[in-house]
């Protein structure tokens, strides 16, 4: 079925708008190297980028929150990342043209990420997303995705009903959050996608490239 015409489109950040994996992997491997460990292959780390510190530390050290040493590693990883946020991070091919096309169609757009604001705000400014209509970070509200509250807060800041927004993301929890918020959901198959196939997420639509999003917009 055709998706309803949106008034704004909201996007996840890491793996959807921006390819931040190189800098996140770099921070993780600097942490390993200072502990006398060899670097973890980039291909092993990349799929876990959307899960942030939890995913990266899990992939490189085999630890999860609550395990001994996890918190110390998390603090060290984030310190390394904060020191080099946007060295190699870039917008995915097609994203600048997509955002320009949305403006031309008088559609709003914003960012909803689980990344903490201390990292989100400088990163957004440095990689070309500073004109977003709203930026919701993982600590903007009391909950993070897959809870719907960050998306509901974005809709409130845009003065829109959730049903007037779409949410685009590259992780299952993005689709879960969008669905729970009452938004149409679009799975971004060009992203990191974690350990599952986007086709299994039950999103309202699945796209392979950013510009394919424009083909989903109803004719005005």
């Amino acid at each position: 079925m055709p998706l309803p015409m949106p008034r704004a489109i909201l996007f996840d950040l890491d793996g959807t708008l921006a390819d931040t994996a190189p800098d996140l992997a770099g921070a993780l491997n600097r942490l390993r190297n200072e502990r006398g460990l060899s670097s973890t292959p980039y291909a092993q780390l990349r799929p876990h980028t959307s899960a942030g510190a939890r995913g990266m530390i899990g992939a490189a050290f085999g630890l999860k929150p609550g395990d001994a040493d996890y918190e110390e590693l998390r603090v060290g990883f984030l310190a390394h990342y904060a020191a080099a946020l946007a060295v190699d991070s870039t917008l995915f091919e097609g994203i600048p043209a997509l955002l320009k096309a949305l403006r031309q169609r008088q559609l709003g757009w914003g960012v909803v990420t689980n990344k903490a604001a201390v990292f989100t705000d400088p990163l957004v400014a440095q990689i070309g997303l500073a004109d977003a209509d709203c930026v919701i970070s993982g600590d903007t509200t009391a909950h993070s995705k897959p809870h719907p509250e960050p998306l509901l807060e974005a809709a409130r800041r845009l003065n829109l009903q959730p049903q007037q927004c779409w949410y685009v993301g590259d992780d299952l929890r993005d689709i879960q959050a969008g669905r729970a918020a009452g938004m149409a959901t679009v799975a971004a198959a060009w992203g990191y996608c974690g350990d599952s196939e986007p086709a299994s997420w039950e999103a309202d639509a699945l796209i392979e490239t950013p510009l394919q999003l424009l083909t989903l917009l109803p004719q005005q």
Side-chain angles (χ1 to χ4, degrees):
M1 292 180 60
L3 300 184
M5 186 66 190
R7 291 185 58 190
I9 299 182
L10 302 171
F11 298 90
D12 176 49
L13 180 57
D14 300 82
T16 301
L17 288 173
D19 187 4
T20 55
D23 287 326
L24 285 160
L28 192 287
N29 279 326
R30 287 192 294 278
L31 178 65
R32 285 183 60 86
N33 296 161
E34 74 178 13
R35 289 169 171 259
L37 301 172
S38 61
S39 296
T40 299
Y42 176 70
Q44 182 178 329
L45 295 174
R46 189 179 188 277
H48 301 279
T49 303
S50 286
R54 174 177 55 82
M56 301 294 279
I57 291 171
F61 291 94
L63 298 177
K64 60 183 183 301
D67 288 345
D69 296 331
Y70 175 86
E71 185 59 22
E72 180 183 351
L73 290 170
R74 187 188 71 85
V75 170
F77 167 66
L78 294 178
H80 279 295
Y81 183 52
L85 271 174
V87 177
D88 295 308
S89 294
T90 59
L91 299 181
F92 281 106
E93 182 178 357
I95 290 296
L98 169 61
L99 299 180
K100 181 178 180 180
L102 295 181
R103 289 291 189 216
Q104 291 172 339
R105 298 184 187 210
Q106 298 184 316
L107 296 176
W109 68 271
V111 178
V112 182
T113 176
N114 276 0
K115 188 188 292 288
V118 67
F119 307 112
T120 303
D121 292 343
L123 179 62
V124 162
Q126 291 179 58
I127 62 174
L129 299 173
D131 62 336
D133 295 313
C134 69
V135 176
I136 306 297
S137 297
D139 50 358
T140 301
T141 71
H143 302 280
S144 58
K145 300 175 294 181
H147 197 283
E149 183 56 28
L151 291 172
L152 297 174
E153 176 64 17
R156 286 191 289 266
R157 294 192 183 192
L158 296 172
N159 294 314
L160 297 175
Q161 295 299 312
Q163 295 81 4
Q164 295 175 300
C165 303
W166 292 3
Y167 189 49
V168 184
D170 72 309
D171 194 272
L172 173 59
R173 70 173 170 272
D174 296 325
I175 305 308
Q176 293 171 331
R179 187 183 302 119
M183 299 181 181
T185 58
V186 180
W190 65 85
Y192 305 136
C193 299
D195 294 322
S196 58
E197 288 295 326
S200 71
W201 299 346
E202 299 183 355
D204 294 301
L206 170 65
I207 56 177
E208 300 291 337
T209 67
L211 288 173
Q212 192 180 349
L213 185 68
L214 298 176
T215 69
L216 301 179
L217 293 171
Q219 296 296 316
Q220 294 178 303

